[in-house]
Amino acid sequence: MIVVTGATGNVGRPLVELLAAAGETVTAVSRRPAGGLPAGVTHRQGDLADVNGLKGLFEGADAVYLLVAGLGDELDPRGIVAAAVAAGVRRIVFQSSQLVGTRTDSVSHDVLRGFETAVRESGLDWTVLRPGGFASNAFLWAEQVRSARTVAAPFADVALPVVDPVDIADVAAEVLRDPAAHVGRTYVLTGPVAVSPREQVRALAGALGDEVAFVALSASEARSRLVEFLPEDAVDGMLSVMGEPSAEEQRVSPDVERVLGRGPRPFAAWAERNAPAFG
């Protein structure tokens, strides 16, 4: 049985669907009630911050896909991994972040770094996935596009190879279903080509069949907007990567193709699939 935490998010939900379609026994864990799960999937409501309640979440699991919300600031990595060990889990696939490897001094990613260490030292079979920036971050623009056919964003022409969350789910499903091939591996997951915010907006306009204007913001203007609904540490980290990415952060990783035998989906494909959210 495979437990998927964060099972209602951009990666967790498609992962649950993929595993269920492949005939796996799946338990979906989320903090809130979850509707629309595939037939046969068990749902357990719980919070990773409640270490004492984790036995019930992990009970009966052979493998856990460990996905934490945001940067996991309120979580105890060693306590959570120890609970998985105590419950008899044999394998953990942990969804981390590319920035754990590229920004080793980033305080905002200390908890994810702690999870990676705890997983590697657990004695269990493990795999770590380090996705780069998500294509789905473009959902932050959805209201602007719906109401005014405009996107206001910083760093208009700085390009990053953002990854489709469904590709992360595809990689996760493959790793969970064929563990022997991926034990002890760390995979960096990116899209197939670096795309700038301006190019992303152009792709959204193409998916909508309508013009979408781009308005360049300064970094300070963008920060003022983002801190209204995201933690300050997360915003500062995001803006740092968006504005001054390292060469490694701009590089396309071969790992999606290495695991799946096909290249990652481009941002335009994500835009086509999600165009109704912007319409």
Side-chain angles (χ1 to χ4, degrees):
M1 189 262 280
I2 299 171
V3 165
V4 177
T5 71
T8 58
N10 289 326
V11 175
R13 186 172 288 276
L15 174 57
V16 167
E17 293 170 353
L18 285 164
L19 292 172
E24 301 290 346
T25 302
V26 184
T27 294
V29 172
S30 64
R31 289 183 291 187
R32 299 176 183 84
L37 293 174
V41 171
T42 299
H43 179 254
R44 292 176 183 168
Q45 190 170 346
D47 192 335
L48 292 176
D50 176 19
V51 176
N52 293 328
L54 293 181
K55 180 180 179 182
L57 298 185
F58 296 147
E59 189 173 15
D62 299 299
V64 171
Y65 189 72
L66 187 55
L67 189 164
V68 303
L71 297 172
D73 294 348
E74 77 284 10
L75 302 180
D76 172 10
R78 290 195 178 277
I80 292 169
V81 173
V85 173
V89 172
R90 295 181 297 172
R91 299 183 276 126
I92 292 180
V93 179
F94 175 58
Q95 182 177 308
S96 184
S97 167
Q98 182 187 27
L99 302 188
V100 169
T102 61
R103 309 243 165 175
T104 56
D105 296 328
S106 169
V107 174
S108 63
H109 287 78
D110 277 349
V111 176
L112 295 181
R113 201 169 286 114
F115 268 108
E116 287 198 15
T117 300
V119 166
R120 290 188 174 102
E121 294 177 354
S122 66
L124 306 180
D125 290 344
W126 60 266
T127 306
V128 171
L129 306 185
R130 287 179 172 176
F134 282 28
S136 54
N137 287 344
F139 280 135
L140 293 172
W141 302 333
E143 179 55 35
Q144 301 174 54
V145 175
R146 285 194 300 266
S147 63
R149 285 294 190 261
T150 298
V151 168
F155 314 120
D157 298 305
V158 179
L160 290 165
V162 295
V163 62
D164 190 323
V166 175
D167 278 338
I168 303 172
D170 283 342
V171 169
E174 181 66 26
V175 169
L176 286 162
R177 300 191 67 232
D178 186 15
H182 306 288
V183 170
R185 301 289 186 89
T186 298
Y187 294 120
V188 175
L189 309 180
T190 72
V193 65
V195 288
S196 68
R198 195 189 305 275
E199 291 167 331
Q200 291 178 41
V201 170
R202 193 175 299 134
L204 282 170
L208 290 167
D210 199 359
E211 292 186 7
V212 179
F214 186 91
V215 176
L217 295 179
S218 69
S220 60
E221 288 171 332
R223 187 181 191 281
S224 296
R225 296 186 181 200
L226 290 170
V227 295
E228 293 180 6
F229 50 90
L230 291 173
E232 289 193 11
D233 283 350
V235 169
D236 290 338
M238 181 189 303
L239 291 175
S240 177
V241 174
M242 290 172 63
E244 297 181 329
S246 68
E248 187 173 356
E249 289 160 354
Q250 291 184 296
R251 186 177 301 123
V252 172
S253 169
D255 287 347
V256 169
E257 185 165 4
R258 181 174 289 146
V259 174
L260 298 178
R262 63 156 177 85
R265 296 172 174 89
F267 180 84
W270 181 92
E272 288 284 349
R273 197 171 71 246
N274 291 281
F278 297 83

